[in-house]
């Protein structure tokens, strides 16, 4: 996508200083956040342009629409002779990635398309139109085939005219697939030539997530090997692309673009050399063996710097719907990989000297403190996260983690003013969502906090939003399971919670409690006992796990075990009574069933 400010030379001639000031504001406050929000990556300034790349045509179109909408809003109330308006051209094609730079004919075509657009409009080539036409409901106008300057072939052009849509009218991308040639979308914003260089620094300073991107775990997904032979590479290629896309939803990971990986497909390089060439600390590799009617996928995670295999797993599935199987495997693999990479990043951070911390490392340490499951750990985590929000006020993850820490304080019974802490959690999570509308943890925390307040519709909406952003995120799955439990959708709650546990068996005591209650209500007493016994051993200070465990023991006739579990629970929470347990259930009948199990265990 190539955009320039219509009439920029005239604006500069009229008032150079004001024009530059206005431009800086647009770049820092609109362009940078929009490119990042729609999963773009700013590459560099080149001549009179600003380049970034995207992994999806729909996301690139959403970014273009949002830029036009944002400029319209920013121009409201501004004198007509000062208004800056983009003309945007969008094209999809092959590009060459080399040393973080981007080359190729796609840039030139996009630049020529821009010249066809009216101020405030978007011109796109047929290659883009064919990708997005069934995914959006926008009033495109067919402009026919056009000859573009210095382009040796006519290009079929479509136009989205000024004010035709907003970014919200375009459905979010759930998954994307690039068959054959690896492609990327290039965005170039021409806005004053060499004047952009100093503004790019301001743009970078204004975006904490861009600053920490290079510090995030970097991972490249190598093309999966097809061990079945024949013409079935499309399945292994599609799986590779799906896993790459699914990993890209985890904002704390830096995922190398498929176009950068593809040239190394048939090059048997040592892992260390391959990691350096791709600028990837970790490499994901795997194999696919189809044995109709089943498929087996093996996957490994390797530290490219040491050659040490850090994790491996194998998946078997029934080939009923090949693309559904492909998506399910990709979701599971991505969730497992992300969990492992987060833990690796945390351990690396903890080995750094404590006197030399930046915001990202301090956030990782705070996360470790909270994970200790102790009152002191929670307090230290909140204090550390408060420092992070002061160091980087625009760091969305810090506000989301702080919100989660306040909910942990409530869940463990450490809060003297629970209602106030829920309000603080909502405030911090909403702050994170305002900074970054696609922060999954923020929406997950909002889902749980609204459920505590018994605002179930809001809670379910936030849980659905979190999973829409990342179907492999364990926090999002656990949040959805929690909302579904308290609203009485027991089977769906179990399904979401079990998937979260498959992706990460340590999802926390509250998620274990919720699943244990769901098992109890589903009369899956043996499953409840196995789960809750394991969770109680892992989280010995969590006050509530013993109570549903006692109920499950009572239901299967293990009276002595029920008495012992109940006694343990009352030692941790001596004030809990039948009247105070399970008050979040929307359906009183469900609460009555849980209360009856606890009564059988001896709770009064």
């Amino acid at each position: 996508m190539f955009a320039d400010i219509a009439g920029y030379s005239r604006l500069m001639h009229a008032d150079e200083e004001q024009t530059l000031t206005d431009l800086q504001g647009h770049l820092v406050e609109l362009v940078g956040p929009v490119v990042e929000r729609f999963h773009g990556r700013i590459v560099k300034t080149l001549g009179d342009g600003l380049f970034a790349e995207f992994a999806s045509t729909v996301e690139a179109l959403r970014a273009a629409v949002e830029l036009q909408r944002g400029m319209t809003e920013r121009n409201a109330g501004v004198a007509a002779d000062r208004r800056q308006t983009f003309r945007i051209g969008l094209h999809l094609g092959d590009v060459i990635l080399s040393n973080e730079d981007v080359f190729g004919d796609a840039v030139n075509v996009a630049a020529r398309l821009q010249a066809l657009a009216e101020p405030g409009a978007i011109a796109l080539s047929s290659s883009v139109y064919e990708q997005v036409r069934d995914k959006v409901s926008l009033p495109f106008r067919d402009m026919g085939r056009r000859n573009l300057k210095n382009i040796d072939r006519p290009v079929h052009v479509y136009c989205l005219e000024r004010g035709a849509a907003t970014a919200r009218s375009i459905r979010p991308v759930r998954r994307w697939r690039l068959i054959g040639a690896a492609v990327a979308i290039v965005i170039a914003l021409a806005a004053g030539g060499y004047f952009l260089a100093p503004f790019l620094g301001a743009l970078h300073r204004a975006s904490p997530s861009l600053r920490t991107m290079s510090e995030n775990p970097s991972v490249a997904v190598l093309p999966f090997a097809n061990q079945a032979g024949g013409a079935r590479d499309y399945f292994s290629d599609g799986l590779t692309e799906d896993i790459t896309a699914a990993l890209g939803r985890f904002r704390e990971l830096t995922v190398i673009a498929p176009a950068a990986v593809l040239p190394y497909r048939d090059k048997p390089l040592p892992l260390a050399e391959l990691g350096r060439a791709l600028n990837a600390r970790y490499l994901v590799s795997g194999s696919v063996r189809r044995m109709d009617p089943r498929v087996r996928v093996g996957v490994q995670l390797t530290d490219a710097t040491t050659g040490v295999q850090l994790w491996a797993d194998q998946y078997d599935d029934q080939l009923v719907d090949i693309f559904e199987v492909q998506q399910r495997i990709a979701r599971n693999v991505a969730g497992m990989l992300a969990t492992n990479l987060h833990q690796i990043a945390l351990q690396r951070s903890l080995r750094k000297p404590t006197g030399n911390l930046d915001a990202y490392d301090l956030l990782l340490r705070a996360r470790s403190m909270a994970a200790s499951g102790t009152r002191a750990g929670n307090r230290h985590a909140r204090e550390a996260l408060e420092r992070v929000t002061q160091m980087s006020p625009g760091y969305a993850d810090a506000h989301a983690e702080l919100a989660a820490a306040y909910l942990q304080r409530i869940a463990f019974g450490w809060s003297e003013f629970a209602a106030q802490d829920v309000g603080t959690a909502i405030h911090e999570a909403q702050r994170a969502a305002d900074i970054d509308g696609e922060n999954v943890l923020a929406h997950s925390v909002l889902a749980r906090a609204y459920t505590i307040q018994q605002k179930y519709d809001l809670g379910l909406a936030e849980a659905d939003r979190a999973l829409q952003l990342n179907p492999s995120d364990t926090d999002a799955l656990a949040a959805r399971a929690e909302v579904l439990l308290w609203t009485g959708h027991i089977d769906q709650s179990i399904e979401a919670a079990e998937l979260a546990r498959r992706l990460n068996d340590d999802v926390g005591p509250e998620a274990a409690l919720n699943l244990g209650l769901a098992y109890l209500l589903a009369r899956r007493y043996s499953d409840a006992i196995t789960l809750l016994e394991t969770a109680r051993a892992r989280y010995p200070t969590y006050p509530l796990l013993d109570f549903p465990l006692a109920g499950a023991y009572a239901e299967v006739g293990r009276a002595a075990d029920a008495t012992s579990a109940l006694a343990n629970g009352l030692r941790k929470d001596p004030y809990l009574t039948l009247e105070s347990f399970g008050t979040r259930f929307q359906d009183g009948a469900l609460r009555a069933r849980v209360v009856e199990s606890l009564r059988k265990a001896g709770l009064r």
Side-chain angles (χ1 to χ4, degrees):
M1 185 168 61
F2 192 100
D4 75 353
I5 299 293
Y8 188 79
S9 298
R10 172 184 55 79
L11 292 168
M12 286 288 288
H13 179 74
D15 190 337
E16 179 175 317
E17 183 176 355
Q18 185 62 59
T19 298
L20 291 175
T21 300
D22 290 344
L23 174 60
Q24 181 179 13
H26 298 326
L27 293 174
V28 172
E29 298 167 13
L30 175 66
V31 175
V34 166
V35 169
E36 184 179 2
R37 188 187 321 144
F38 294 105
H39 307 106
R41 181 178 70 88
I42 294 176
V43 178
K44 67 170 186 174
T45 58
L46 178 64
D48 62 352
L50 175 75
F51 287 85
E53 60 179 344
F54 293 80
S56 158
T57 47
V58 177
E59 293 287 65
L61 180 60
R62 294 181 74 203
V65 171
E66 183 68 12
L67 285 177
Q68 297 292 37
R69 185 194 64 79
M71 289 299 289
T72 298
E73 291 181 355
R74 294 176 68 85
N75 282 328
V78 176
D81 59 355
R82 274 186 50 200
R83 293 174 186 168
Q84 297 186 9
T85 306
F86 284 129
R87 298 182 300 180
I88 296 179
L90 181 62
H91 178 60
L92 172 68
D94 292 321
V95 298
I96 301 169
L97 303 179
S98 177
N99 297 325
E100 299 298 315
D101 206 346
V102 178
F103 306 93
D105 188 51
V107 181
N108 300 326
V109 174
R112 301 309 177 192
L113 286 170
Q114 167 270 314
L116 298 179
E118 296 294 327
I122 302 167
L124 55 153
S125 65
S126 58
S127 61
V128 176
Y129 176 74
E130 292 300 327
Q131 293 289 324
V132 304
R133 58 181 296 180
D134 297 324
K135 302 180 180 70
V136 302
S137 299
L138 295 175
F140 294 109
R141 179 165 59 89
D142 190 339
M143 298 176 65
R145 297 173 68 84
R146 297 296 185 93
N147 292 312
L148 305 180
K149 184 178 179 180
N150 295 330
I151 304 299
D152 59 4
R153 64 197 182 284
V155 175
H156 198 144
V157 180
Y158 295 81
C159 180
L160 186 62
E161 295 180 341
R162 184 171 191 165
T166 68
R168 294 181 179 86
S169 68
I170 306 176
R171 295 192 297 273
V173 178
R174 292 182 179 273
R175 63 198 286 248
W176 53 269
R177 188 182 316 281
L178 302 177
I179 301 297
V183 297
I185 299 162
V186 176
I187 177 174
L189 299 173
Y194 64 90
F195 295 113
L196 284 178
F199 297 157
L200 187 58
L203 187 76
H204 187 68
R205 290 191 296 275
S207 179
S209 60
L210 288 179
R211 290 200 305 272
T212 60
M213 183 66 74
S214 62
E215 301 168 1
N216 292 349
S218 57
V219 56
V221 182
L222 306 179
F224 275 45
N226 172 22
Q227 295 185 339
R232 288 177 169 174
D233 278 343
Y234 71 90
F235 184 82
S236 54
D237 288 348
L239 184 59
T240 305
E241 293 154 3
D242 274 2
I243 291 173
T244 305
L247 281 173
R249 293 176 182 262
F250 290 90
R251 304 295 293 276
E252 293 183 354
L253 303 181
T254 299
V255 183
I256 308 304
V261 178
L262 194 63
Y264 299 93
R265 179 178 191 133
D266 299 317
K267 295 182 180 179
L269 298 176
L271 290 176
E273 185 176 342
L274 189 56
R276 285 194 299 271
L278 293 171
N279 195 27
R281 172 68 187 266
Y282 303 104
L283 300 175
V284 177
S285 57
S287 60
V288 177
R289 181 182 296 276
R290 286 186 57 183
M291 304 164 289
D292 292 337
R294 300 192 65 82
V295 62
R296 174 173 296 172
V297 176
V299 61
Q300 303 86 38
L301 174 66
T302 303
D303 187 329
T305 61
T306 63
V308 175
Q309 181 175 294
L310 303 172
W311 173 80
D313 209 340
Q314 184 169 285
Y315 299 86
D316 288 280
D317 216 324
Q318 190 78 21
L319 277 175
V320 178
D321 181 335
I322 188 170
F323 295 114
E324 195 276 334
V325 169
Q326 186 170 303
Q327 188 178 39
R328 182 167 63 246
I329 291 174
R331 180 183 62 194
N332 290 347
V333 170
M336 289 291 230
L337 284 170
T339 297
N340 280 273
L341 286 168
H342 288 168
Q343 291 300 317
I344 292 165
L346 173 60
Q347 294 305 315
R348 289 176 62 197
S349 174
L350 292 177
R351 288 195 292 268
K352 292 184 180 181
T354 56
N356 183 25
L357 294 178
D358 57 18
Y360 178 66
D361 282 318
L362 187 54
L363 181 141
L364 289 178
R365 290 171 184 266
R367 187 180 296 164
S368 177
M369 296 169 192
S372 69
T374 65
R375 189 168 192 159
N378 177 270
R379 184 180 68 254
H380 293 320
R382 286 184 286 112
E383 291 171 352
L385 290 165
E386 291 282 7
R387 285 176 53 200
V388 176
T389 60
Q390 293 168 8
M391 295 163 62
S392 297
Y395 194 176
D397 287 349
H399 291 280
E401 294 282 357
L402 182 57
Y406 272 100
L407 284 193
Q408 183 193 48
R409 188 185 189 199
I410 298 166
F412 275 83
W414 299 324
S415 175
E416 296 85 0
F417 306 99
Q420 180 178 325
D421 283 345
V422 172
T424 302
I426 290 175
H427 172 78
E428 292 295 336
Q430 191 59 60
R431 171 66 176 146
D434 289 342
I435 296 169
D436 177 6
E438 300 190 354
N439 189 292
V440 176
L441 179 58
H443 291 290
S444 300
V445 170
L446 285 171
R448 294 168 55 206
Y450 284 136
T451 302
I452 292 174
Q453 293 183 335
Q454 298 186 4
K455 298 177 180 178
Y456 301 112
D457 290 343
L458 289 176
L460 191 58
E462 291 292 346
D464 286 343
R465 175 58 175 156
L467 280 176
Q468 184 184 55
L469 291 169
N470 190 346
S472 301
D473 188 271
T474 54
D475 287 324
L477 287 164
R480 178 171 172 79
E482 181 173 342
V483 180
L484 291 171
L485 168 68
W486 298 117
T487 53
H489 300 85
I490 305 305
D491 291 340
Q492 295 176 43
S493 176
I494 290 173
E495 181 182 4
E498 287 181 338
L499 177 55
R501 291 191 71 231
R502 284 199 298 273
L503 299 180
N504 179 7
D505 66 353
D506 186 11
V507 291
E510 191 172 12
L513 170 70
N514 294 333
L515 181 54
L517 284 170
Y519 282 151
L520 188 63
L521 287 166
R523 296 182 172 85
R524 293 172 55 176
Y525 303 125
S526 295
D527 289 335
I529 290 169
T530 300
L531 168 72
L532 292 168
E533 284 179 342
T534 301
R536 185 177 63 170
R538 179 173 284 171
Y539 309 106
T541 63
Y542 188 73
L544 297 179
L545 293 168
D546 292 281
F547 295 101
L549 178 58
Y553 282 144
E555 292 290 354
V556 297
R558 295 170 58 176
D561 289 331
T563 300
S564 175
L566 185 60
N568 284 332
L570 289 173
R571 275 196 294 270
K572 301 170 191 174
D573 188 351
Y575 303 106
L576 188 137
T577 64
L578 284 176
E579 289 73 23
S580 63
F581 194 88
T583 55
R584 292 185 202 169
F585 279 112
Q586 191 176 34
D587 185 346
L590 292 177
R591 179 177 179 273
R593 284 170 52 187
V594 173
V595 166
E596 181 58 29
S597 294
L598 295 180
R599 183 178 285 112
K600 288 180 182 179
L603 184 64
R604 298 293 181 262

